């Protein structure tokens, strides 16, 4: 029973006792209200002598008035109420101590088994999640393999059709040449062809011309179909054997993707590589950005029109290569830097196109930053990261496709970068040890999608 119900019961008992005692005392006391007292002194009263009062006997009990009895009764009821409250308080303390002991005993007896059950359930959930993830990856690989086989089959058929058409064109050319030679060749003995022979040759020439026109029209139609197919497949085929890409559909202050590195980004050297296919580039389009609370622009790969810019430690340390990127075409970009020599280099399609010494020499990349694709954090953007305001600039957002994003904590050699830049490569190239494409966790926001 709750404590407040116990208190209500005690108060009710006390009030009932007060009412009963008041009725008993009221029955014993008689009050006479017949005499009226006024503040007046009569002349006869003044002449009367004051009566002498006999002293009360020494052992007689004093007489109590009605109000004395009422006050005495209230004091007794208050005392009883206090005693009941004290008793109920002690009783509740004893019960709470007993309940606490029972709870502690229950926890000591069953706490170990409950913790083991929770740990076992969490382990089973983790195993199931790993199994589902593995199954999803297997299905993804199977789908990619099937799509690759279908594309190879279609290309094989196209090549066979092209070979057949080329053979037909060769035969047609040979027949035309042979016909022209027969038409202009004189007969033996200096005689020309007869009228019938020339007439038959003219009919054959007309049929040959008609056949050539039909073949030409058929070839033109086939060429148009091939061009349509090549354009359609080129938009879906990813370079270097990559099986997925990030699609940035529009410019907005929320469109970006965040990559969680596998290891700490604190390093004295690094190389970052990626494939990009921009839909449109403006004066500043951010591809790759790594920033911390102290410096939101530690590392950056930025497009400026068709030029590519590479910065380390801030915009003051800049390397630029012009005419490196085209809209609607896949381009492989790499940026490498070493703190010991301060040498920063830009690579486009496996070729070094720009290099600059003394870039952030002696600098060390700090840990605890964020890798952002398609946007950059500003100074106040990092402060607003956990709020509800827009933290990016829509004018700097990247639109297009991006794949093969890898980062190493060392400077890659020329041969390694050349292998990564091969459009006909396998498995999207070698994976980085800081960021590995297809392995590192990617968090997409603002409408960015993973496409396959």
């Amino acid at each position: 029973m709750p404590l407040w119900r116990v208190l209500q019961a005690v108060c009710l008992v006390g009030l009932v006792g007060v009412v009963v005692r008041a009725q008993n005392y009221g029955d014993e006391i008689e009050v006479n209200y017949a005499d009226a007292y006024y503040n007046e002194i009569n002349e006869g009263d003044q002449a009367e002598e004051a009566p002498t009062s006999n002293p009360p006997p020494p052992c007689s009990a004093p007489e109590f008035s009605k109000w004395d009895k009422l006050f005495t009764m209230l004091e007794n009821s208050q005392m009883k109420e206090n005693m009941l409250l004290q008793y109920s308080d002690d009783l509740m303390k004893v019960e709470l101590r007993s309940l606490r002991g029972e709870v502690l005993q229950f926890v000591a007896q069953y706490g170990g088994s409950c913790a083991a059950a929770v740990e076992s359930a969490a382990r089973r959930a983790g195993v199931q999640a790993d199994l589902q993830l593995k199954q999803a990856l297997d299905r993804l690989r199977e789908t990619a393999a099937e799509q690759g086989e279908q594309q190879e089959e279609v290309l094989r058929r196209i090549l066979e059709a092209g070979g057949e058409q080329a053979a037909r064109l060769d035969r047609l050319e040979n027949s035309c040449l042979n016909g022209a030679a027969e038409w202009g060749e004189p007969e033996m003995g200096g005689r020309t062809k007869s009228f019938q022979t020339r007439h038959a040759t003219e009919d054959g020439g007309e049929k040959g011309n008609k056949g050539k026109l039909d073949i030409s029209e058929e070839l033109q139609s086939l060429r148009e179909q091939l061009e349509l197919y090549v354009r359609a497949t080129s938009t879906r085929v990813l370079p270097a054997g990559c099986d997925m890409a990030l699609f940035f559909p529009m410019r907005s202050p929320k469109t970006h993707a965040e990559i969680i590195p596998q290891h700490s980004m604190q390093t004295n050297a690094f190389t970052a590589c990626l494939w990009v296919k921009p839909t449109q580039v403006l004066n500043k389009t951010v591809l790759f950005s790594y920033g911390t609370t102290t410096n939101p622009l530690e590392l950056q790969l930025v497009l400026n029109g068709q030029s590519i810019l590479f910065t380390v430690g801030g915009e003051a340390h800049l390397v630029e290569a012009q005419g490196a990127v085209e809209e609607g075409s896949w381009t492989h970009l790499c940026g490498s830097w070493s703190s010991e020599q301060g040498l920063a280099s830009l690579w486009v399609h496996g070729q070094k196109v720009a290099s600059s010494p003394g870039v952030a020499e002696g600098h060390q990349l700090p840990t605890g930053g964020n890798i952002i694709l398609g946007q950059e954090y500003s100074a106040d953007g990092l402060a607003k990261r956990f709020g509800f305001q827009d933290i990016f600039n829509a004018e700097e957002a990247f639109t297009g496709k991006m794949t093969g994003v890898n980062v190493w904590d060392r400077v890659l050699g020329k041969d390694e970068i050349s292998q990564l830049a091969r459009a006909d490569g396998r498995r999207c190239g070698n994976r980085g040890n800081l960021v590995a494409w297809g392995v590192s966790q990617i968090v997409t926001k603002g409408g960015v999608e993973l496409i396959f």
Side-chain angles (χ1 to χ4, degrees), residues 151 154-155 226 228-238:
Q151 292 175 358
V154 172
L155 292 176
L226 286 174
L228 289 175
Y229 179 78
V230 169
R231 285 198 298 268
T233 54
S234 62
T235 58
R236 294 194 297 266
V237 175
L238 301 178

Side-chain angles (χ1 to χ4, degrees), residues 292-297 376-385 391:
T292 62
T293 54
T294 56
N295 185 4
L297 306 177
E376 68 176 6
Y377 278 125
S378 59
D380 57 345
L382 282 172
K384 298 177 183 178
R385 181 183 178 192
I391 57 179

Side-chain angles (χ1 to χ4, degrees), residues 357-380:
V359 176
E361 186 174 357
H363 179 66
Q364 185 181 51
L365 293 182
T367 187
N370 298 279
I371 297 178
I372 304 297
L373 301 180
Q375 269 287 5
E376 68 176 6
Y377 278 125
S378 59
D380 57 345

Side-chain angles (χ1 to χ4, degrees), residues 81-388:
E81 183 178 354
N82 292 335
M83 292 174 64
L84 288 173
L85 289 174
Q86 183 65 30
Y87 174 74
S88 62
D89 191 14
D90 295 340
L91 182 63
M92 292 298 298
K93 289 180 180 179
V94 173
E95 293 294 333
L96 288 175
R97 291 194 192 98
S98 176
L99 180 61
R100 182 173 179 273
E102 293 178 359
V103 171
L104 292 176
Q105 183 180 1
F106 177 81
V107 171
Q109 185 176 359
Y110 299 101
S113 60
C114 292
V118 171
E119 184 178 359
S120 177
R123 190 181 300 109
R124 288 196 301 270
V127 172
Q128 292 178 357
D130 293 339
L131 181 59
Q132 292 177 358
L133 180 59
K134 184 177 180 181
Q135 293 175 354
L137 290 175
D138 292 340
R139 289 195 298 269
L140 180 61
R141 293 190 184 97
E142 292 176 358
T143 304
E146 291 177 358
Q147 291 180 353
E149 292 176 357
Q150 293 176 358
Q151 292 175 358
E152 291 178 357
E153 180 66 19
V154 172
L155 292 176
R156 186 183 63 80
R157 292 179 181 178
I158 292 174
L159 291 175
E160 291 179 355
E164 292 177 359
Q165 294 299 328
R168 292 177 63 182
L169 285 174
D170 291 338
R171 290 195 300 269
L172 178 62
E173 184 178 1
N174 292 331
S175 64
C176 292
L177 292 175
N178 293 332
E182 292 178 357
W183 177 260
E185 182 181 329
E187 293 183 354
M188 295 182 64
R191 292 179 301 169
T192 60
K193 294 184 177 181
S194 63
F195 176 77
Q196 292 83 0
T197 305
R198 283 181 290 171
H199 182 71
T201 306
E202 289 176 358
D203 293 340
E206 292 178 358
K207 293 180 180 179
N209 292 332
K210 185 177 181 181
K212 287 190 292 183
L213 291 175
D214 294 339
I215 293 175
S216 176
E217 293 176 357
E218 184 177 354
L219 286 175
Q220 183 65 24
S221 176
L222 180 60
R223 186 180 296 109
E224 293 176 356
Q225 293 177 4
L226 286 174
E227 290 177 355
L228 289 175
Y229 179 78
V230 169
R231 285 198 298 268
T233 54
S234 62
T235 58
R236 294 194 297 266
V237 175
L238 301 178
C242 297
D243 54 1
M244 68 174 183
L246 288 172
F247 176 55
F248 298 78
M250 58 186 173
R251 283 194 176 91
S252 77
K254 298 181 180 179
T255 302
H256 70 284
E258 183 174 352
I259 296 183
I260 300 176
Q262 295 182 256
H263 304 286
S264 172
M265 288 290 291
Q266 186 173 0
T267 178
N268 295 321
F270 81 95
T271 302
C273 295
L274 50 86
W275 285 91
V276 293
K277 184 180 180 181
T279 303
Q280 184 184 25
V281 291
L282 301 178
N283 292 333
K284 184 177 181 181
T285 302
V286 182
L287 301 177
F288 179 95
S289 176
Y290 174 75
T292 62
T293 54
T294 56
N295 185 4
L297 306 177
E298 280 288 342
L299 294 176
Q300 279 198 316
L301 280 172
V302 181
L303 296 179
N304 183 8
Q306 293 184 346
S307 301
I308 177 71
L309 309 178
F310 179 44
T311 64
V312 181
E315 294 185 356
H317 307 93
L318 183 66
V319 183
E320 181 178 1
Q322 298 180 353
V325 180
E326 293 183 4
E327 295 179 353
S329 299
W330 283 105
T331 305
H332 187 262
L333 303 172
C334 283
S336 62
W337 166 80
S338 174
S339 174
E340 182 178 358
Q341 302 174 356
L343 181 63
S345 303
L346 267 174
W347 302 72
V348 179
H349 289 304
Q351 301 295 324
K352 184 186 292 187
V353 294
S355 182
S356 177
V359 176
E361 186 174 357
H363 179 66
Q364 185 181 51
L365 293 182
T367 187
N370 298 279
I371 297 178
I372 304 297
L373 301 180
Q375 269 287 5
E376 68 176 6
Y377 278 125
S378 59
D380 57 345
L382 282 172
K384 298 177 183 178
R385 181 183 178 192
F386 299 102
F388 297 96

